[in-house]
Amino acid sequence: MSDIIKIKTEYLNKLKNVSDLKEINQIKSELFGKSGKISDEFKKLGSQNSEERKKISSELNDTKSELQNLIEKKIKDIEINEINLKLKNERIDVTLPERTFNRGKIHPVSQVIDEISSIFSEIGFSVEEGPDVENEYNNFTALNTPESHPARDMHDTFYLDKNKKFLLRTHTSPVQVRTMLKGKPPFKIIAPGRTYRSDSDQTHAPMFHQVEGLHIDKNINMAHLKGCLNYFIKEFFEVDKIKMRFRPSHFPFTEPSAEVDIGYEMKDGKIIIGEGDQWLEILGCGMVHPNVLKNVKVNPSKYQGYAFGIGIDRLAMLKYGINDLRAFFETDYRWLSHFGFDPLDVPSSYRGLSR
Ligand code: PHE
């Protein structure tokens, strides 16, 4: 048997049982490496006469490619096996039950603030913000409420220092002052946010929420105020008709001033807005007092307008049938999962997103 056939038989045999990449590479270098067996045979060719050389070289080439092909095939097979094994071990069991997780809910107050902002933005109001910690000037003095004024006590103010210079704002009205001081008329803004008064029962919490409205321009009158509130209440409660009543009232920063009630009735323990003969107060409003305009450097003989302050928590309670205000701020997760809103489920009244 020629050396070539011997090598061929030996290695074909060896290769049959190999299943490891390392062993194959070992065989590869034994055969085709620098002093590999096949390489050596090629070297020997030089010493043959030309006829022998022709014969042997063709035999050698055949053997070389046969062994090489087999080796390449083996390597491929091993790689495929490895991938299959990996796939098998890392298989995802789609029948496993999903992992539970708690999805957060949007608090009714945040939801209602978004709804209100979206409704007012449709008729050209932009949204302003002011800080919870205010100075006494913005909260009272600039709003035509001097130091001796009884309204300061009426507000049950939380003061933050001995000199009563800093306080937790008792209403969102100081944002009127901030907005007008930093800009030039016309102004058409709403300002939602937290407000504070030392008060606590079923319908009052020491921290609550208001949204301020302010519209100042050259020809704004009380009819605009009525039209605007009428539109807002209809949109907010998603009803076509409402009953609304303006009661004369007093605020130092508006003249004339009014409080607004909406008509409702109770049917099967539910509040129906727009029917019946019960009245519920939801906001204070009026035409901005000339003194306020003077304080913020707006000329009252040129510009005038209206302002309003709506209790947000009340609106949320009415719209979503929540009867104890204090629950809003108790951060009870069970309460929130019941009354909160799914962030992925956009209600029709939240039109800012759905349109
Ligand atoms: N700031 C008033 C309050 O908190 C409400 C209000 C705002 C009244 C704007 C008139 C104009 O009671």
Side-chain angles (χ1 to χ4, degrees):
M1 211 192 313
S2 78
D3 284 350
I4 298 176
I5 297 184
K6 240 194 253 164
I7 297 172
K8 184 172 153 181
T9 336
E10 182 190 344
Y11 277 90
L12 283 180
N13 244 342
K14 263 193 179 174
L15 279 168
K16 243 189 232 161
N17 306 313
V18 177
S19 59
D20 183 83
L21 211 54
K22 232 170 146 190
E23 275 177 66
I24 294 207
N25 282 328
Q26 171 67 27
I27 290 174
K28 210 172 161 183
S29 76
E30 272 175 34
L31 289 170
F32 308 112
K34 229 179 174 187
S35 44
K37 295 196 171 164
I38 296 286
S39 318
D40 278 352
E41 291 303 317
F42 274 108
K43 281 180 207 152
K44 282 189 209 156
L45 282 178
S47 55
Q48 310 286 350
N49 64 41
S50 73
E51 204 157 304
E52 278 289 294
R53 198 189 301 152
K54 231 181 180 175
K55 209 180 112 211
I56 299 176
S57 79
S58 99
E59 191 186 340
L60 195 53
N61 273 324
D62 287 350
T63 305
K64 182 188 169 189
S65 57
E66 190 177 348
L67 285 169
Q68 248 173 354
N69 287 343
L70 189 62
I71 287 174
E72 292 313 318
K73 186 175 175 300
K74 277 265 165 187
I75 292 179
K76 269 230 169 78
D77 284 352
I78 290 174
E79 280 171 354
I80 287 175
N81 270 346
E82 263 172 21
I83 291 175
N84 282 340
L85 199 73
K86 219 173 162 187
L87 282 176
K88 201 175 147 209
N89 290 338
E90 293 174 5
R91 202 178 97 226
I92 295 169
D93 184 353
V94 290
T95 65
L96 277 177
E98 66 183 288
R99 264 184 223 136
T100 57
F101 66 95
N102 289 331
R103 183 193 280 168
K105 290 268 188 137
I106 295 175
H107 194 284
V109 171
S110 309
Q111 169 74 20
V112 164
I113 289 178
D114 285 347
E115 289 176 19
I116 293 174
S117 306
S118 147
I119 292 169
F120 278 109
S121 75
E122 298 253 320
I123 51 168
F125 284 81
S126 57
V127 179
E128 286 288 334
E129 272 181 8
D132 293 9
V133 173
E134 256 302 355
N135 57 50
E136 159 280 328
Y137 180 80
N138 287 344
N139 195 84
F140 290 125
T141 311
L143 289 165
N144 201 31
T145 316
E147 216 163 302
S148 55
H149 202 286
R152 292 207 181 194
D153 297 329
M154 265 159 49
H155 276 196
D156 302 312
T157 311
F158 287 116
Y159 285 99
L160 300 174
D161 61 336
K162 268 207 310 283
N163 300 328
K164 297 190 169 179
K165 285 285 167 230
F166 292 98
L167 45 81
L168 293 175
R169 66 179 177 187
T170 58
H171 49 179
T172 41
S173 301
V175 188
Q176 288 188 35
V177 177
R178 288 178 173 269
T179 305
M180 292 194 281
L181 276 176
K182 74 171 191 222
K184 282 202 157 53
F187 302 103
K188 198 173 182 188
I189 58 116
I190 57 161
R194 284 181 290 269
T195 46
Y196 305 82
R197 288 178 205 177
S198 176
D199 211 350
S200 181
D201 61 36
Q202 196 171 339
T203 51
H204 295 92
M207 183 200 75
F208 56 106
H209 296 82
Q210 287 191 339
V211 59
E212 193 76 8
L214 175 74
H215 187 183
I216 302 286
D217 208 334
K218 283 186 173 143
N219 295 303
I220 298 299
N221 59 48
M222 204 140 177
H224 293 111
L225 169 63
K226 283 186 93 167
C228 168
L229 292 175
N230 194 56
Y231 155 83
F232 166 69
I233 291 164
K234 279 206 278 207
E235 289 287 309
F236 181 76
F237 287 106
E238 298 172 40
V239 290
D240 293 331
K241 86 177 189 307
I242 50 153
K243 288 167 83 176
M244 192 164 81
R245 165 169 100 173
F246 278 65
R247 262 185 303 106
S249 183
H250 173 77
F251 299 103
F253 34 92
T254 46
E255 182 60 37
S257 302
E259 276 170 312
V260 172
D261 303 334
I262 51 172
Y264 72 98
E265 72 178 348
M266 295 295 290
K267 239 189 205 155
D268 307 325
K270 271 199 170 158
I271 292 181
I272 314 277
I273 303 286
E275 321 239 334
D277 52 8
Q278 315 256 76
W279 295 96
L280 196 100
E281 183 198 321
I282 56 159
L283 64 95
C285 62
M287 299 306 291
V288 176
H289 198 292
N291 287 351
V292 175
L293 295 175
K294 278 183 218 155
N295 288 339
V296 296
K297 313 274 178 297
V298 171
N299 183 351
S301 57
K302 261 192 168 159
Y303 288 97
Q304 59 188 329
Y306 60 80
F308 54 81
I310 309 175
I312 292 179
D313 316 87
R314 270 231 167 149
L315 287 190
M317 289 168 79
L318 278 177
K319 184 163 177 180
Y320 296 112
I322 302 163
N323 55 25
D324 191 341
L325 175 68
R326 288 167 296 191
F328 273 129
F329 311 120
E330 276 168 1
T331 63
D332 182 337
Y333 185 75
R334 291 160 308 170
W335 182 88
L336 192 57
S337 24
H338 181 77
F339 284 109
F341 292 82
D342 193 328
L344 301 179
D345 182 21
V346 182
S348 64
S349 58
Y350 190 8
R351 293 157 320 133
L353 279 182
S354 58
R355 263 192 201 164

